[in-house]
Amino acid sequence: DVQLQASGGGLVQAGGSLRLSCAASGFTFDDYTITWFRQAPGREREGLACISGSDSSTYYTDSMKGRITISSDDAKNTVWLQLNSLKPEDTAVYHCAAIRGAVVPAWNYYAMDYWGQGTQVTVSS
C-alpha cells in the first residue's frame, strides 16, 4: 500500500524556520522523484523543490529558491524540506508527491503518481 505522509508544519513567526518531512512507504524510493508543492488559499498549487531518488539531484523553482533546501535519506525513505526566513506569504498547505522514474524536474502536480496529505505551515507577522 503506497503512502506519502507529510509532517512538520506548524505556526512560526516571520523569519523563522521549519523542517518538513515526507515519509514514503510501499514503493522503492530509488525509482522515484519526490517533489514538494504548496497551495495557499485562493492561489494555484506550485512546485517548490524536487529530488531524484536515483542520484539525489535536486531542483528548485524560483518560488522559494534560496530559502529552502530539499534532501533525502534513502535508507529511511524520507525526504525533508528545510524552510528558512519564512514570510507570512509562505502560509500554505505543503504537500509531497512522487513520480516514477528520474523525471526531473517534476513540477506538474497532476502528472505525479502518488500524492500525500499536506501539512499546514502558518507564518505570523
Side-chain angles (χ1 to χ4, degrees):
D1 194 24
V2 173
Q3 287 190 347
L4 288 169
Q5 182 62 54
S7 61
L11 175 63
V12 63
Q13 289 187 334
S17 298
L18 284 173
R19 191 190 195 201
L20 308 183
S21 66
C22 174
S25 61
F27 62 91
T28 304
F29 185 74
D30 288 354
D31 296 337
Y32 284 76
T33 295
I34 308 295
T35 300
W36 279 98
F37 297 87
R38 71 177 179 181
Q39 186 165 25
R43 299 184 65 179
E44 290 187 1
R45 184 179 289 107
E46 59 181 345
L48 301 174
C50 68
I51 186 166
S52 169
S54 62
D55 64 4
S56 298
S57 57
T58 60
Y59 302 82
Y60 298 90
T61 64
D62 290 337
S63 297
M64 297 184 74
K65 195 172 185 178
R67 299 191 291 125
I68 60 174
T69 303
I70 190 170
S71 60
S72 67
D73 183 332
D74 291 2
K76 296 182 179 179
N77 267 25
T78 300
V79 174
W80 290 278
L81 187 68
Q82 178 70 39
L83 309 175
N84 298 320
S85 303
L86 286 165
K87 306 174 183 179
E89 52 264 42
D90 294 322
T91 295
V93 176
Y94 287 68
H95 301 263
C96 57
I99 185 168
R100 188 176 294 107
V103 182
V104 289
W107 305 136
N108 185 347
Y109 186 79
Y110 298 102
M112 308 303 278
D113 294 306
Y114 305 112
W115 303 264
Q117 290 187 333
T119 185
Q120 175 71 46
V121 172
T122 302
V123 185
S124 63
S125 57

